[in-house]
């Protein structure tokens, strides 16, 4: 069994970054900038890195590039920070194939989004994730983001899936805080709930979530770690004061489709050499740049 000495609860908590995939001006993956990002998150004590999730532009990378970026991130991390691989796909066979690429690789878990575009039924979603779990020993983190996928993984289905041995957590990105209680009622204490929505992540943790898979952490890693640590320690008043400073980023990093603003902000802060994206993603507009710039200033990053 892969990674059998890794306790998933050690890294599925606090601030986990959904890291961008840096590219050079020609649109190729920029390994030097990727190393800078990994080093940045190691230095700031981010709990783990999700490599090639939605924010990592998984939809514009080829299968080979997808695998290569995750493995490059693993190599650059060199055991200093846990790496979670994004392995979602809209075809179950493809999701299984991606997942199998990382068996015994050093990846500590997989983040698997609901199958987009197909709009499967709840039974279809259950069978999809069940099939993946039966073909890997890696811990699986469900990922529910209906605004992008067109389907909603309902609490009842999460409860069914949580009974499968290696389905250990969910990234719940609806922003619907009622989901925390609804899911907790249907799973045991070993199942981890993570927010996938920065703007409501603190409230999510106060209701019983263990952390956030964060876009904001791309540019405010230290602040997100501190905010999550305060929340997990029950110091909600202090956490809220810090979160107020970050709220502009929580919102403005989505002023245009993710990861357009996040890439621009990383470049603005010197974390990556270029803010190149691949079509159909286009550069951040001038008005968007001003909004993100203002949010970076509000957070004390400029």
């Amino acid at each position: 069994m892969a990674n059998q000495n890794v306790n998933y609860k050690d890294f599925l908590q606090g601030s986990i970054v959904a890291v961008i995939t840096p590219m050079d001006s020609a649109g190729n993956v920029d390994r030097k900038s990727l190393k800078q990002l990994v080093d940045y998150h190691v230095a700031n004590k981010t709990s783990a890195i999700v490599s090639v999730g939605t924010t990592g532009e998984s939809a514009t990378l080829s299968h080979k590039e997808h695998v290569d970026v995750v493995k490059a991130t693993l190599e650059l991390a060199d055991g200093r920070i846990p790496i979670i691989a994004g392995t979602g796909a809209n075809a179950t066979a493809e999701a299984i194939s991606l997942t199998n690429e990382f068996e015994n690789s050093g990846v500590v878990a997989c983040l698997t989004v609901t199958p987009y575009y197909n709009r499967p039924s709840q039974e279809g979603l259950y069978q999809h994730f069940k099939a993946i779990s039966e073909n890997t020993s890696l811990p699986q983190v469900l990922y529910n983001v209906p605004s992008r996928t067109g389907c909603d993984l309902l609490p009842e289905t999460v409860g069914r899936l949580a009974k499968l041995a290696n389905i250990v957590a969910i990234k719940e990105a609806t922003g619907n805080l009622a989901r925390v209680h609804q899911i907790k009622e249907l799973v045991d204490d070993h199942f981890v709930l993570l927010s996938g929505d920065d703007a409501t992540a603190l409230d999510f943790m106060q209701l019983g979530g263990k952390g956030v898979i964060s876009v904001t952490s791309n540019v405010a890693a230290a602040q997100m770690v501190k905010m999550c640590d305060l929340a997990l320690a029950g110091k909600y008043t202090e956490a809220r004061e810090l979160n107020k400073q970050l709220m502009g980023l929580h919102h403005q990093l989505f002023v245009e489709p993710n990861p357009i603003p996040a890439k621009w902000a990383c470049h603005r802060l010197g974390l990556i050499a270029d803010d190149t994206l691949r079509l159909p993603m286009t550069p951040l507009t001038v008005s968007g740049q001003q909004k993100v710039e203002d949010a970076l200033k509000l957070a004390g990053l400029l």
Side-chain angles (χ1 to χ4, degrees), residues 117-277:
Y117 189 76
N118 298 325
R119 300 179 66 192
S121 66
Q122 293 302 303
E123 183 60 26
L125 290 169
Y126 175 78
Q127 294 296 339
H128 172 80
F129 288 113
K130 179 173 180 284
I132 296 169
S133 76
E134 290 172 345
N135 282 277
T136 184
S137 61
L138 286 165
Q140 298 293 300
V141 180
L142 307 171
Y143 179 14
N144 188 38
V145 57
S147 63
R148 277 190 178 264
T149 63
C151 65
D152 189 0
L153 184 65
L154 297 178
E156 294 76 15
T157 308
V158 176
R160 290 178 69 194
L161 288 166
K163 292 179 172 62
L164 303 178
N166 58 345
I167 294 182
V168 301
I170 185 169
K171 176 185 177 182
E172 173 54 54
T174 59
N176 178 0
L177 293 170
R179 286 288 174 92
V180 182
H181 174 73
Q182 291 166 354
I183 294 171
K184 285 180 75 67
E185 286 287 295
L186 299 169
V187 300
D188 64 30
D189 290 340
H190 298 292
F191 190 80
V192 178
L193 276 70
L194 299 167
S195 172
D197 178 59
D198 281 301
T200 58
L202 177 53
D203 295 317
F204 189 101
M205 284 185 279
Q206 190 162 2
L207 291 169
K210 295 300 181 184
V212 58
I213 297 180
S214 170
V215 174
T216 300
S217 182
N218 276 283
V219 295
Q223 293 91 330
M224 285 299 296
V225 167
K226 185 176 180 181
M227 189 271 284
C228 289
D229 286 350
L230 287 168
L232 292 173
K235 298 178 180 179
Y236 298 114
T237 300
E238 294 171 59
R240 287 195 183 283
E241 284 302 311
L242 180 53
N243 200 44
K244 282 180 187 176
Q245 299 172 33
L246 297 172
M247 193 57 72
L249 286 172
H250 297 338
H251 290 296
Q252 300 307 335
L253 289 178
F254 293 90
V255 67
E256 291 174 28
N258 178 43
I260 293 170
K263 267 201 165 175
W264 184 88
C266 283
H267 181 243
R268 177 70 179 83
L269 295 176
L271 293 169
I272 59 175
D274 203 292
D275 61 350
T276 299
L277 302 122

Side-chain angles (χ1 to χ4, degrees), residues 3 30 58 67 74 78 80 83 85 127 155 163-164 167 206 213 216 282:
N3 302 301
D30 179 354
S58 55
V67 173
L74 266 170
D78 195 23
R80 296 175 296 159
I83 305 300
Q127 294 296 339
K163 292 179 172 62
L164 303 178
I167 294 182
Q206 190 162 2
I213 297 180
T216 300
T282 52

Side-chain angles (χ1 to χ4, degrees), residues 80-118:
R80 296 175 296 159
I81 186 171
I83 305 300
I84 300 167
T87 53
N90 58 346
T92 305
E94 184 180 355
I96 291 170
S97 174
L98 267 176
T99 301
N100 288 342
E101 291 278 1
F102 303 114
E103 287 286 339
N104 302 304
S105 66
V107 159
V108 294
C110 295
L111 177 71
T112 309
V113 72
T114 53
Y116 40 88
Y117 189 76
N118 298 325

Side-chain angles (χ1 to χ4, degrees), residues 255-256 264 275 283-294:
V255 67
E256 291 174 28
W264 184 88
D275 61 350
L284 188 62
T285 61
V286 173
S287 62
Q289 290 177 21
Q290 188 58 59
K291 290 174 182 176
V292 175
E293 178 102 358
D294 290 344

